[in-house]
Amino acid sequence: MLLLLVVHLVAALIAPALVRLWGRRAFWALAAAPASAAVWALSWTGRVQDGHGPVQSVRWIPALGLELTFRLDTLSWLMTLVVGGVGALVLVYCAGYFSVAAQGLGRFGGVFLAFAGAMLGLVTSDDMILLFVFWELTTVTSYLLIGHYTDRKASRRAAMQAIVITTAGGLAMLVGVVLLGEAAGTYRLSEVVAHPPGGAATTVAIGCLLAGAATKSALIPFHFWLPAAMAAPTPVSAYLHAAAMVKAGVYLVARFAPAFSQHELWRWTVVVLGCGTLLLGGYRALRQHDLKLVLAFGTVSQLGLITLLVGLGTQATALAGLAMLGAHAMFKATLFLVVGVVDAATGTRDLRRLSGVGRELPLTALAGALGTASMIGLPPFAGYVAKEAGLEGIEHLEQGALGVVVLVSVAIGSVLTVAYGLRLWWGAFATKSAVVPESALVADAVATQQDGAVSPGTTSQAATQPDAEPAAISRPSLLLVWPAMVLAVLGLAVALLPHLGEDLLAPYAETFTVGEPGHLALWAGLTPTFVLTLGILAAGAALFVVRERVERWQVAAYRGPEADRVYRRFMRRLDDVAADVTGTTQRGSLPLYLGLVLLVFVIGTAWALLAGTRWPDRVTAFDKPAQVAFGAAAIVSAILATRARRRLKAVILLGIGGYAVAGLFLLHGAPDLALTQVLVETVTLVVFVLAMRRLPPYFSDRPLAASRWVRLAVALAVGLTVAGIALAVPGARVHAPVTEHFADEAVTWGGGNNIVNVTLVDIRAWDTMGEISVLLVAATGVASLVFLSRRGGAIFRAQDASDDRAVWGGPDPMGPLRRGVDQVRLDAVSTDREWLRAGHTLAPQRRSVVFEVVVRLLFHTMIVYSAFLLFSGHNAPGGGFAAGLVTGIALIVRYLAGGRYELGEAAPVQPGALLGTGLFLSAGVGLVAMMLGGTVLESRIIDLHVPVIGDVHLVTSLFFDVGVYLVVIGLVLDILRSLGAELDRRAESGEDEPFGDAERPDAGLAELGSTEPPARSTADGGAP
């Protein structure tokens, strides 16, 4: 099963390339992926029927009890056939449906296969957490499929509506899964169903699970997203809304029904949702003019019926429910594909414009007739067999008045199905005496045709005219017809073997303990059920005959509040509320945001500390006098930073505080932390300076006495709170610390003596994986602030520099003093001596020979030192993070000494390549460990004897550390390219204002032309 998911994933990834290579013919090859799932399920038919279906389990994260567990039983076997078989035929249909010039087919094919793989994983998962993951994957991929036509507002709106509704249901379902798993003591789905828990938590879980099913399967009151989703291409409708996505909610109900169908909340919820959806969908289908909308509301109605049958909880209705699930997939997919053929042949889906289509397209009409006959329940079709079994099972419900309500609802809903089914086929294929002229219709935004045209509206009231010309009919490719014909014939073939179907589906029905076993039969005698069926067919036919009168009555009748309109109004009000809340709380002041966060932290934590904390009896102020010196330096620098008015001064003071903290780390025997702190402070200082080139040198021109004291108060409060936590937490411990055995584990399992490094790359490797992912996101965020329109990919090399433009040029106050020296240089014989490869690109006043020489001497030494830190970090201070920072600092000094062209010479590589390679390498180490039979990110120790070199002690976590090393270098390089090189280029090219001296952090007051800083008030400590 896991292999099938990999096949779908690989097919989804290569789909864009195949479509580019083969065009529409690539869909034939892509159809092999879902077809393989159907063939695989068929190969297990006998063993699944005997109750010995395959079970596959792969340990994922044992510490959290997470496993990739899959299981094939009768229910998942049927769903796999539906997902795989219908999916393969729809992909073949796509080869003829889309035009040669259609855009985005590669993306469409990839997303379609990703959705099919997610559905396959959903129906075979035997772990509730894994089921939820696949559930959400279907939500995301269905959003992309529904919104395939990105240039159409209707498609985008429908996709957004679908994902909002189904995501909300998915979150409710997640709550139910967690509650149910905790109540049962296991998340294994088969065990929960076999031994269902009880209690209040289970009751809440049932409600949450049914809420998720209702949103996914478009049950009331969430039914409105499905008709709106008809804005998707017809293949999407045929697959998602007939055979796959909407069946996910039905599958969820069917999966948990054996365990909870006798629960009161379950029973009443299923009856209300099922009956209400069945009736509402059928009623709404009667007054639609767009063929796809007729099918959409009919699908809503049928989903209510299937949910009702599988959720009632008796053996007979469960058997009928599974039979109806399979029959519905065949006939509804058939009808959607047929409507697509009609749309392609006539350019419209409005049944008032169609006439004579059946005479011109007889095969299409035949496929539509077979599908319609199965949908309305005519013998001998699968829909008839399933509906007969359902009516028989409902008649024998022993639930008093509730059973009567269900039977009446199903009977009325079936009458409506017959009526709108006949109206569908008549509207699509009949030869009519009068049609509505095209000029009388208003274009409707929900239409989506292969050629991009828009079908006429479905809601406008227009009279038919005998002399009006119907829509012109062309003959589409037979490739569009035979997938629908295959499904239609299957609906007939399986009905001719009802006993085989009963034998295959009976194992699922036997999991219920209530009611007598049901049966599937073409002829069970002259029973009350058969008489009721005849009455349903007659009433439905009569309703079709008086269709025009019914339509006029529906138009005149009060419709009540429509769910779609209620949803849109609610979303508008929600947007208004969100805008008001945002306008009130988001003032655009980062200090305000940070201050509020810190105040909430102080208030919440300080209250707990003061209320019930046991403080230590004795506190040691310090161990060494040096600690007092470093602590005092950190305190003084922090206080001065809050009072600083000049930005550069504040940054330097913050750096002093950071270096002081590094000294404290060193005194406490943590050289790794001290080294990392020093390196981080250095890089941070440079980043601040680069960013401040675009900021005024002073924070504000206004007196800031009051705000300074507020900032100082908040800082003191936070500091005291953190200090209190540090004092209280050791005394509050009730369990042994997790680090108790780290020293031994680092050597035994991690193969290293540096506990800090082994912890990062082995013991807590998952944490490190998350941290480097955050670094990658941070790099992307920094770049997005600079590259507003598009990400620049140019690497500035020295040979590309213009001769008439000097980097970091501008006013040269010392120029007159240098003119004599410059003339001597011009008269002297050139020695072609360059300490840096791009040093000549700098403006003369920005060059420093001493700095260039020092950088020339130290750069390679720093690179070698970083390599030493990387490879020795497993047993000595260092590691990938520290080594990456050292390399980053080496690149920084190259940039500061020679400008952006020197940076390009030092690192002629894209930062994204380093970031991606590093993350891929770190993740790949974890996957390799799992493929070798271990757990994710598990280290392997390899001891080798290499001639000449000697004994080599290699731990595979080194490659993880190399990934961290590359990510850190990529981050620093990305910041230098964004805040350094790109801002330099913009200033020189005139895109931004050039760096004025007033914006240079290193500009002295004498160079600024004004020796006075912004005015200070008396309250701010200055002269009045």
Side-chain angles (χ1 to χ4, degrees), residues 118 125 267 376 462 522 691 826 849:
S125 296
R267 182 186 303 114
I376 66 179
L522 270 175
L826 292 174
V849 176

Side-chain angles (χ1 to χ4, degrees), residues 22 32 42 83 86 92 142-143 153 174 233 344 359 433 494 547 556 710 726 767-768 806 823 908 913 954 995 998:
W22 295 337
L42 286 174
V83 170
V86 177
V92 173
S142 65
Y143 164 77
K153 183 178 180 181
L174 177 60
R359 185 175 59 248
S433 59
V494 298
R547 58 189 175 277
V710 172
D767 291 350
T768 306
Q823 187 62 41
L954 177 64
F995 298 129

Side-chain angles (χ1 to χ4, degrees), residues 219-243:
L219 305 180
I220 60 171
F222 309 107
H223 62 282
F224 55 88
W225 73 261
L226 181 56
M230 293 302 104
T234 295
V236 174
S237 301
Y239 190 45
L240 270 67
H241 307 139

Side-chain angles (χ1 to χ4, degrees), residues 314-681:
T314 67
Q315 293 190 35
T317 57
L319 178 65
L322 255 62
M324 179 58 74
L325 190 153
H328 178 266
M330 290 183 286
F331 67 69
K332 194 54 65 73
T334 296
L335 293 174
F336 270 115
L337 296 180
V338 164
V339 168
V341 177
V342 174
D343 192 3
T346 64
T348 182
R349 296 196 305 261
D350 195 308
L351 55 83
R352 297 168 296 179
R353 289 279 302 138
L354 299 173
S355 180
V357 177
R359 185 175 59 248
E360 297 293 330
L361 305 175
L363 288 180
T364 304
L366 176 60
L370 295 177
T372 302
S374 183
M375 181 175 68
I376 66 179
L378 282 180
F381 292 93
Y384 166 78
V385 173
K387 193 169 292 185
E388 282 288 289
L391 289 172
E392 185 72 27
I394 293 172
E395 284 185 0
H396 292 85
L397 281 178
E398 299 177 356
Q399 298 184 6
L402 183 62
V404 175
V405 171
V406 172
L407 181 61
V408 172
S409 299
V410 172
I412 296 175
S414 299
V415 170
L416 296 174
T417 302
V418 174
Y420 71 70
L422 294 175
R423 183 171 178 265
L424 172 74
W425 193 90
W426 168 84
F429 300 106
T431 300
K432 308 179 182 71
S433 59
V435 295
V436 174
E438 185 176 5
S439 59
L441 299 178
V442 179
D444 185 3
V446 303
T448 53
Q449 300 176 193
Q450 60 172 337
D451 58 358
V454 180
S455 291
T458 61
T459 57
S460 59
Q461 301 302 313
T464 59
Q465 299 178 13
D467 58 343
E469 286 292 330
I473 304 172
S474 62
R475 291 185 177 274
S477 170
L478 287 178
L479 182 61
L480 291 176
V481 180
W482 77 258
M485 185 64 76
V486 169
L487 289 170
V489 172
L490 278 176
L492 175 61
V494 298
L496 298 177
L497 301 171
H499 296 294
L500 176 61
E502 180 180 331
D503 292 340
L504 293 174
L505 302 180
Y508 170 76
E510 292 170 358
T511 59
F512 292 83
T513 59
V514 178
E516 296 296 326
H519 301 284
L520 301 178
L522 270 175
W523 173 251
L526 193 60
T527 63
T529 301
F530 183 73
V531 174
L532 179 60
T533 299
L534 293 178
I536 289 172
L537 292 174
L543 198 60
F544 165 71
V545 171
V546 296
R547 58 189 175 277
E548 294 182 358
R549 188 179 305 173
V550 171
E551 183 178 341
R552 287 195 299 269
W553 176 80
Q554 284 186 313
V555 172
Y558 172 68
R559 301 179 184 179
E562 293 189 5
D564 181 66
R565 185 172 299 176
V566 172
Y567 165 81
R568 295 189 186 282
R569 287 182 177 178
F570 171 77
M571 294 303 294
R572 283 197 295 267
R573 299 295 182 271
L574 184 62
D575 289 341
D576 292 340
V577 172
D580 293 339
V581 172
T582 302
T584 303
T585 58
Q586 303 294 310
R587 296 293 188 178
S589 172
L590 292 179
L592 177 62
Y593 301 156
L594 184 60
L596 290 175
V597 171
L598 294 176
L599 283 176
V600 171
F601 163 74
V602 169
I603 294 173
T605 307
W607 177 267
L609 287 175
L610 297 176
T613 301
R614 180 179 178 182
W615 299 98
D617 298 330
R618 187 175 63 87
V619 177
T620 302
F622 58 89
D623 298 317
K624 302 175 181 178
Q627 293 175 338
V628 177
F630 282 120
I635 294 173
V636 172
S637 64
I639 294 175
L640 293 178
T642 62
R643 292 182 52 81
R645 305 181 67 208
R646 193 176 177 90
R647 297 179 190 274
L648 181 61
K649 177 182 177 182
V651 169
I652 294 175
L653 289 170
L654 286 176
I656 293 173
Y659 290 127
V661 172
L664 292 175
F665 288 155
L666 186 63
L667 292 175
H668 280 83
D672 276 276
L673 292 178
L675 176 62
T676 304
Q677 179 75 15
V678 169
L679 296 174
V680 169
E681 287 296 333

Side-chain angles (χ1 to χ4, degrees), residues 74 99 112 133 143 155 211 302 512 515-516 785 817 826-827 900 914 986 1021:
T74 301
S99 66
F112 191 101
V133 171
Y143 164 77
S155 296
Q302 294 289 311
F512 292 83
E516 296 296 326
L785 294 176
L817 301 179
L826 292 174
D827 297 336
R900 67 177 184 276
L914 295 176
R986 289 187 179 187

Side-chain angles (χ1 to χ4, degrees), residues 779-797:
T780 305
V782 170
S784 65
L785 294 176
V786 178
F787 300 98
L788 296 179
S789 58
R790 63 182 180 87
R791 180 65 178 265
I795 298 176
F796 301 105
R797 303 301 298 270

